[in-house]
Amino acid sequence: MLYVHEFEVFESEGCFLAIPAPPLGGGTFGDTFDDAVKNAADWLTMTIDDMLMKGHEPAACSFGHEPENGGRMIAIAVVRNLGDIPAMTAADAARVLGVSSARVAQLIDAGLLESWKVGARRMVSKASVEERMSESPTAGRPKKEAAKAQHRWSE
């Protein structure tokens, strides 16, 4: 689906900010005007992907906003669908992470892995699996010595 949103791009403190018009919050920046526009397209793509993964349809944008910071209003368009997001099944995520399917479900429930359903199949974003792997979590509970040391510090 095609998503179009307006951004105000303006210079501030040596860089260019790209702030989306309501209802989206947040924004991005770049070293040059062109860089800020490219980053705004990436930001919009990630924001739309996040909404789609959570089952939310992004709100339609209204147009004709006036710049609030002396910049220029530009429209940025991206085409996104859930199928565009690199993903794997929950079972594949379990294999890659070296954990059980039940543990993957726990990680999803805890918000540590991004997921969505396609029919009856649970899909997990590859980016969230890679991020989890980069954190190098260790299996099991902390050793008694580590738990005791942590307890002493918390007293």
Side-chain angles (χ1 to χ4, degrees):
M1 181 164 191
L2 178 67
Y3 298 94
V4 183
H5 207 83
E6 280 189 326
F7 284 74
E8 180 181 4
V9 181
F10 59 97
E11 191 170 5
S12 176
E13 298 182 20
C15 68
F16 287 83
L17 302 178
I19 308 298
L24 296 178
T28 188
F29 67 95
D31 293 331
T32 65
F33 183 88
D34 289 348
D35 190 33
V37 171
K38 289 174 188 171
N39 290 340
D42 289 343
W43 182 91
L44 184 59
T45 297
M46 290 187 303
T47 300
I48 298 296
D49 286 355
D50 188 53
M51 289 178 180
L52 293 174
M53 284 187 282
K54 292 178 179 170
H56 303 297
E57 182 61 32
C61 178
S62 59
F63 297 97
H65 293 92
E66 293 294 324
E68 296 179 4
N69 301 289
R72 295 192 313 193
M73 296 304 294
I74 61 165
I76 295 181
V78 297
V79 176
R80 300 306 292 167
N81 297 296
L82 274 176
D84 297 329
I85 302 169
M88 62 182 73
T89 65
D92 287 339
R95 278 191 287 283
V96 168
L97 293 170
V99 299
S100 68
S101 294
R103 180 64 180 141
V104 167
Q106 289 173 339
L107 293 169
I108 290 168
D109 289 343
L112 298 172
L113 292 176
E114 300 170 322
S115 76
W116 62 95
K117 284 194 128 186
V118 176
R121 181 174 272 172
R122 171 72 55 191
M123 303 303 292
V124 180
S125 78
K126 285 185 179 180
S128 68
V129 171
E130 290 167 359
E131 182 177 338
R132 181 76 182 160
M133 288 174 56
S134 72
E135 294 169 358
S136 302
T138 57
R141 296 182 182 175
K143 295 191 185 297
K144 284 187 178 183
E145 295 79 30
K148 286 180 186 176
Q150 186 175 11
H151 177 71
R152 276 185 255 142
W153 282 104
S154 63
E155 292 179 344

